[in-house]
Amino acid sequence: MKNQITLVLVCLFLYVSNAQDMAIETKSVSIENVISYVIENMGKNSEQDSLSPKNITFLIQSAPNGLAIEDKVILKQTFKLISKRLSEEDSITIISYSGINGVVLEKTSPKALKKIMYALENYKSSIKVLHSDGIQLAYTYAQENFEEDTSSTVVMIRNPKASSTSYIQNAEAPKKKSNTVLITAIGLLPEIISLIKD
């Protein structure tokens, strides 16, 4: 019995020490401030520049239909900047949460700019498997891809517009041609003709 208790305590101690080693830092930024966040926290002149290599999971809030055009523009510019500021040894992952939950871009080098731009442009179709919780998925993914001697961070990019119903409706409003005007004009045509004759 004493040996079993000792074994359980040793296992618990190893588990706790291992969990402390796998520290995943969380940062949160709005989509409007993401470029300034990258300038201040990544690459040259940043405090984390000495912690190398970096494993960064970007967790992007999106609407059910994906990203709006202006959000894609902001994110493309952000990841172009990230590509210049991070090294080949670093890695990034893009995961979507809120409206769509899934992996948009699996762990890749920040220098693979064409791959990153393609994933952002085809945001919704890049997700192969939908999940019930994108936030939990991001942390699970970060833990599964954790490597010793790396700085592991989850950067949550909040997009308040993505959760509003007007944003969702406006982003995917179908373009319909209205036949109501045509039907009304045809119905009034005999009356218009009779007025012209008189």
Side-chain angles (χ1 to χ4, degrees), residues 31 35 97 100:
I31 196 163
I35 293 176
Y97 80 99
I100 309 171

Side-chain angles (χ1 to χ4, degrees), residues 16-17 21 23 29 34 49 59 65 87 91 108 116 118 137-139 157-158 161 163 165 178 190-191 197-198:
V16 170
S17 64
D21 289 343
V29 63
V34 70
D49 194 35
L59 182 58
N65 56 328
S87 70
S91 63
T108 191
I116 297 166
Y118 179 84
L137 173 66
Y139 285 97
I157 301 174
R158 299 179 324 276
K161 296 179 292 183
S163 61
T165 55
S178 178
E191 292 177 14
K197 285 183 181 180
D198 293 334

